[in-house]
Each structure stands twice: as C-alpha cells, then as structure tokens.
Amino acid sequence: MRHAEGPLLTVDLSARSATRTPIDDVLERYIGGRGAATALAHERIPFDADPFGPENRAYLAAGPFQSAMTSFTGRLSMTGLSPLTDGLVSTNAGGYLSREFVGAGISTLEVVGASDELVILHVTDEGVEFETIPELREATVPEVSDHVGETRGLGPENCIAIGPAGENRVRFASVMTYDSRAFGRGGLGAVLGAKNLKAVTFTGDAEPDLEIPDPPAMDIHREAATADDRMKRQGTTGGTEFINENFSLPTRYFEEYSFEDAADIGGDAVEEKKYKTEACSQCAYACKLPTRDEARGVETEGPEFETVYAFGSSQGVGDIVDVMHANELCDTLGMDTISAGVTVAAYLKSVGEFGNAELAREVTERIAYRNDDDETADLLAEGVHRAHEALEVDDYTVKGMEFAAHDGRVLHGQGLSYAVANRGADHMYAGMLSPEYSGEIDPKGTLGKAERLVELENHNAIRDSAIVCSFAGDYVTDERLATMLGTTYDDLLAIGAETVLRERHFNNQRGIDAEDDTLPYEIPDLDAAIREYYAVRGLTDDGRVPDDRIDPIPVGYLPTASGVGSDGSSSRAGEGSIGGEAGDGASRDAGADD
C-alpha cells in the first residue's frame, strides 16, 4: 500500500530542540495525514492534558498524494486536542503549502511544549531555526506573511500562521495558510497561540518522488481541467437557493428554516463578485472564489456556503458584500467562520439585533482581541456552548462545536451524524448530507442509516489520510482511490475504521461518551438510531470503545523521554517536552535562536 514517506519532525518549544524520528511503521499502517497523526496523538498526548497546556501536541501531516502530481491533492491535515470540544480534532486545508511541506523532507510535524517568547519556526530539509518575533505580537495573518516575505524571501504559500485570535486563545481560532485557507474547525489556532508559536515556514528540495498509477492519476487531472461544474464557478455556494427552497437554511440563530434573502447571498451573487480563477497546488479544478467589491473596498477569497450561512442567514444578513467583509475579517484575524458566525448570531439574538451587519463585524473583531475589559468579547471567545447561559439562548452545539449549515432537523441522517461524530457538529466528518440531498437516501428518519453512516465516516478518514479534497468525489472515486493507494477499498475502510475508533477511544478517556452523543433538538428515533450505530461500530452501550479493540501502535522508535516506554507502555502523566535523543536512525536538527 502506498503511504506518506519521511520522518516525524518533533519540535519542543520549551527546550528549543528538534528531532527527526523515522515512523515508517505508522505510515505503512495508517497511510499518512489524519490517520497517522491520530495514531501518534493517541499515544503521545496525555489523556488528561489541558488543551492549552504544554503537554498538548499539534500535528501537521501530509499523505502520499502530496508527493505526486495530480488534482485534488494540494492539502495538509492538522490534528490536536481541541480547546473547543475537549477531544481530538482533525481539520485540513488547501492552498500551496503541501509541496513545500514535503520538500522539507518530513511527513509529519509534531509541536510540543511552549515557548516563553513569541516565535516563528523555519523548517527546511537541513534543519530548524527558531526566530523570536516580539514585534509581531497580535499581528494579523497577512502581516505575518509580509514579515516572512521581507526577512526570508518566502510567500504565504510557505507558511502556516495564526492571527490575534489564536494568541488570545479564542476557542475557535484557526490556523491559516496562504492567508485565506483555514485549518478551521476545533480551535487549533488557539493551541498554537498557547504555545507562543506564531507561524511555521517550510522550504526544501527533499520532495520524494512517489509514483501514482496512471491511469487514473492523469485521467483525474484531465477531467478536473475540462469539467464544467457549477462548483468551479460558484464554489459550494452554488447550492444555496436549492437548499433554502427544498430543505433548510438555518436562519436567525435557528429560529427559522429558510431565509428570504438567500438569492442575494447565494451562488449567483458570489459569482458576480468573482474576479479571477484560483486553485490549490497541482489542481486543475480551480474552484476557489477570489471576490471583491470595489465600491466598498472589500477583497477576499470566498465566501463559501458555510460562511454564507454563518454570517448571512444565521445572522439575518442579506447582503453578499457584508458576508464577504466578515469572511475577510475572519481570515485576517484567524478564526473559523462557522463557529465565529454562529457565535455572533447567538449574540445578535440575545440583544435583538438580527440583520445588523455592522455590529456583527464589530463584535467579530473584538472577539479576536479579547481582553478582560471587554466582557462581551471575552465571553463570546469561549464559543456558544460556554456562553449560551449568559446570553440566554439555546445551546446549538454538539460536544461544544457549533453547527454547520446542513440542518439535522430536516436531514435526519445528518442529524444522527452530528450526534455521534467524534468532533461534534461538523458536516465533513461523515457527510450524510450528500446522499440525503440527492435523494439517494430519504432524509426523513434515522433508523436503518447507521451502517451507511459508519461507511462514510471510515471513507472520510481515509480521504483525510491520503489526503484528497472533499470536492473530488466525482473524480477520485472509491475504485480510483484504492488503485492509487495500491490496495482494496475494503482494506481502506478497515484502516479508516481504526482511525475513527482511536479518536473515540481517546475522547472516552477524557470522559466523552454516550451522554455527549446527543442533539439540542428532537429528531425521530434518535436514541434507537444511536444504539444501531454503537452496534455497527462495536461500541459498548455507553458509547465507549472496548480497550481490547485498540491495538498499540509500534512504538519502538519513540523517545522514552516522551512518556512512552520502549515496551509500548505509556505513562500518560506529566508528559511535557520531548527532549531526549531520537530513536535508531534519527538525527537531531539544529535550532538557532535569533
């Protein structure tokens, strides 16, 4: 089976050390990306870790396709302990970083510890440098890109960065790349902020030459280039009016199911503002949405459908330029647009100000710069789950994560997916919405859907391990994906299942179980459908993974100072910086202070 290649680079910010360690056995077993990072996180993050503590670890990982040349592969995956959900979360982003990342000669970056000064890491195929940058305290994401351009001759395509929201530990802060592409959900930007890590750059010429079978690789590339999909013109906003008219577009913080101004913030409105074509690395599909409005001086990339919902219908805002402005603000400040928009919508409900786009933008910016003197911003920076009682609004979250647009009150299989997903109310975890929107599955009812839900969760875990864009479904089919990875689709599903179980097992150890597999609204037979899901997954009645279902990953290569013994046992307590020497065949990178 094809898999990512290259060592794990562990950077200990407390000790200012860097170690490269071979992890071939993990990559061979889990492909790369989300799968490999989840396996490492499960073994190396203490089960009782504080998401903002130095013992938490953040993983940035590539899959095998980032070393190849075909469409839909310009992405990286990021994993860590979420300050929003208190469980493991993985998220991925596109742009142009993936080839720069593997060019640095690694498959996975692991960040542990915390710096006592604000720093940027510079990772190359020759080593790691630590740059102290106090002058960039609370700098925006574009300001960080300007700095690395001026001082290093690098561009935003070489960089991940956080904005002021991450530094100020906004629980839904994102990690940004290429200025406008977000590792969005779950608050990993706040994890880097707690570590005093402002940015990481990647350069090098060590990219492995991994051959992907052709066909289907070039067939996929050719089809992506010649396709005439509406997605290429309007991104995900192309379905806004269809969803609004036939299903539900949550409106005014879930008070209503449709929005009267959907056409003014939907696909046609976005396409009118689009002024050029944009893509991700090596992708011919080019579905990105650079937009601008010269009259109001707004220029951004997007918004996509989820942002149209979060800062549009959810807030009662019906002007696409207002939504564009909010999108630009979140990218610049480093915040997930879904959680930020829904949290601000909850605030607008609490003060009776739906439709007030100016107030929404003002509050959004205040959240990123939260301080003790601004009680409202400080409260909202905690997210809806922690703020709803003070706001006197319903808690529209699952496991602490704000809902995506695809309404489980109408798409009942998607509602079930939200309830049981390890990362909460995120639409990308399984994507039951697609067969329900298309009519392949009746959107009404939950019973009998568990088996399909499990398959989709497993599939998406593999997609995020390879790593393949979620928009590639019509091109990177299941058969093609298996061919490109050199195995069978059934074997891939088994690997995906193991990744999902490891996520849940980790969360179980933190007390997340059946009581958390729930929804803030009623849908038919939810409890019975959850029991069906547990049965298909092989979970206990209380939603836990039996310990004998989790095989230890090979850990002979792990430094004993990490808290993992050479016999595979884990102390799980007091684990902080790695220090120590690398395992057999590893080499220590030099770190230089500025």
Side-chain angles (χ1 to χ4, degrees):
M1 182 179 69
R2 293 176 185 85
H3 54 80
E5 297 180 359
L8 167 73
L9 172 63
T10 298
V11 176
D12 183 336
L13 294 170
S14 299
R16 295 233 175 164
S17 66
T19 305
R20 294 188 186 229
T21 312
I23 54 169
D24 295 344
D25 36 13
V26 174
L27 297 174
E28 288 168 1
R29 181 167 174 175
Y30 296 103
I31 302 175
R34 173 181 161 193
T38 297
L40 291 167
H42 182 277
E43 299 300 314
R44 294 165 74 93
I45 299 176
F47 291 142
D48 61 353
D50 178 351
F52 291 139
E55 67 274 16
N56 192 8
R57 301 181 182 219
Y59 295 86
L60 186 64
F65 297 156
Q66 285 64 58
S67 299
M69 304 297 177
T70 191
S71 291
F72 304 110
T73 62
R75 306 188 72 78
L76 290 171
S77 180
M78 195 165 190
T79 298
L81 175 56
S82 166
L84 188 67
T85 71
D86 202 44
L88 279 186
V89 66
S90 292
T91 179
N92 64 72
Y96 294 86
L97 180 65
S98 60
R99 269 73 190 182
E100 302 293 342
F101 180 85
V102 297
I106 59 176
S107 67
T108 311
L109 171 71
E110 175 186 57
V111 181
V112 67
S115 173
D116 56 1
E117 298 178 282
L118 193 66
V119 295
I120 294 178
L121 296 179
H122 300 287
V123 178
T124 74
D125 50 351
E126 297 181 351
V128 176
E129 179 183 349
F130 295 77
E131 178 189 3
T132 303
I133 37 91
E135 70 275 16
L136 292 184
R137 178 68 62 185
E138 291 196 333
T140 65
V141 172
E143 287 170 344
V144 176
S145 295
D146 289 344
H147 172 82
V148 299
E150 293 167 0
T151 61
R152 303 278 167 163
L154 303 176
E157 68 274 12
N158 295 92
C159 190
I160 62 169
I162 63 171
E167 290 182 57
N168 293 318
R169 303 189 186 187
V170 175
R171 288 186 185 267
F172 43 84
S174 57
V175 177
M176 305 299 297
T177 181
Y178 201 57
D179 287 350
S180 59
R181 314 292 174 86
F183 298 92
R185 309 235 65 192
L188 295 182
V191 172
L192 297 193
K195 294 181 179 299
N196 248 343
L197 180 58
K198 186 68 173 177
V200 188
T201 68
F202 301 91
T203 55
D205 300 314
E207 183 175 349
D209 183 17
L210 184 66
E211 292 293 330
I212 300 296
D214 179 29
M218 287 310 299
D219 287 344
I220 291 169
H221 200 60
R222 189 179 304 108
E223 291 167 14
T226 58
D228 189 27
D229 298 348
R230 182 168 59 177
M231 174 81 74
K232 296 177 74 169
R233 303 191 312 273
Q234 300 184 351
T236 53
T237 63
T240 304
E241 292 175 74
F242 169 78
I243 292 171
N244 186 63
E245 293 169 3
N246 295 281
F247 295 94
S248 169
L249 184 61
T251 296
R252 297 180 181 89
Y253 194 66
F254 305 97
E255 288 183 355
E256 303 165 44
Y257 288 77
S258 63
F259 187 42
E260 65 277 9
D261 293 326
D264 295 329
I265 57 173
D268 290 341
V270 169
E271 189 174 2
E272 287 179 7
K273 300 297 181 182
K274 184 176 177 180
Y275 65 95
K276 66 177 181 178
T277 300
E278 187 65 86
C280 294
S281 176
Q282 300 300 326
C283 189
Y285 195 59
C287 66
K288 298 293 102 180
L289 301 171
T291 55
R292 66 184 173 202
D293 182 84
E294 295 181 357
R296 291 173 57 180
V298 177
E299 184 170 322
T300 187
E301 184 175 274
E304 295 287 354
F305 173 66
E306 292 297 335
T307 308
V308 161
Y309 138 78
F311 278 97
S313 65
S314 183
Q315 298 181 3
V317 172
D319 184 331
I320 190 58
V321 181
D322 285 328
V323 180
M324 289 165 54
H325 198 167
N327 185 80
E328 178 190 24
L329 194 60
C330 285
D331 288 350
T332 298
L333 301 175
M335 288 189 287
D336 172 33
T337 60
I338 301 176
S339 286
V342 173
T343 300
V344 173
Y347 170 75
L348 295 180
K349 177 178 174 64
S350 74
V351 296
E353 287 286 351
F354 283 132
N356 190 336
E358 183 176 351
L359 176 61
R361 286 195 300 275
E362 174 199 321
V363 171
T364 300
E365 185 166 9
R366 285 163 51 196
I367 289 171
Y369 293 101
R370 65 184 298 187
N371 60 69
D372 295 338
D373 296 330
D374 189 342
E375 294 182 1
T376 295
D378 192 49
L379 174 68
L380 297 180
E382 294 292 295
V384 166
H385 177 65
R386 295 168 176 83
H388 76 279
E389 290 184 356
L391 296 176
E392 298 183 339
V393 301
D394 291 332
D395 181 9
Y396 274 99
T397 67
V398 176
K399 300 179 178 73
M401 181 172 282
E402 289 76 14
F403 277 95
H406 309 282
D407 198 339
R409 298 173 298 178
V410 174
L411 304 170
H412 294 154
Q414 183 59 39
L416 172 63
S417 173
Y418 287 143
V420 300
N422 292 331
R423 66 176 180 238
D426 179 76
H427 63 299
M428 302 298 290
Y429 197 79
M432 283 290 282
L433 57 97
S434 296
E436 291 189 318
Y437 279 143
S438 69
E440 177 191 342
I441 295 176
D442 187 346
K444 296 179 180 179
T446 56
L447 295 178
K449 294 183 176 180
E451 189 169 344
R452 182 63 184 280
L453 172 56
V454 166
E455 180 185 356
L456 287 170
E457 284 186 341
N458 296 345
H459 172 275
N460 288 0
I462 291 300
R463 178 197 69 197
D464 295 342
S465 301
I467 303 162
V468 178
C469 177
S470 61
F471 298 162
D474 291 339
Y475 306 91
V476 185
T477 62
D478 297 343
E479 181 181 358
R480 283 175 163 179
L481 180 62
T483 298
M484 291 166 72
L485 288 172
T487 187
T488 68
Y489 185 61
D490 285 344
D491 285 346
L492 291 179
L493 290 179
I495 296 168
E498 191 171 349
T499 295
V500 173
L501 285 177
R502 282 191 184 279
E503 290 170 342
R504 181 170 276 265
H505 184 263
F506 184 98
N507 291 357
N508 288 159
Q509 309 315 303
R510 295 182 65 80
I512 301 172
D513 54 24
E515 291 187 4
D516 302 282
D517 291 337
T518 188
L519 294 171
Y521 47 74
E522 293 185 3
I523 58 176
D525 303 306
L526 178 61
D527 290 343
I530 290 175
R531 288 195 296 273
E532 288 183 347
Y533 175 84
Y534 290 170
V536 176
R537 273 274 175 231
L539 307 178
T540 65
D541 290 342
D542 58 356
R544 301 181 69 85
V545 180
D547 287 337
D548 61 7
R549 295 284 307 280
I550 302 297
D551 296 328
I553 65 171
V555 293
Y557 59 84
L558 292 180
T560 56
S562 70
V564 182
S566 59
D567 62 353
S569 62
S570 174
S571 66
R572 291 296 183 190
E575 186 176 3
S577 58
I578 287 182
E581 292 297 319
D584 292 343
S587 61
R588 180 177 298 279
D589 286 318
D593 294 344
D594 258 13

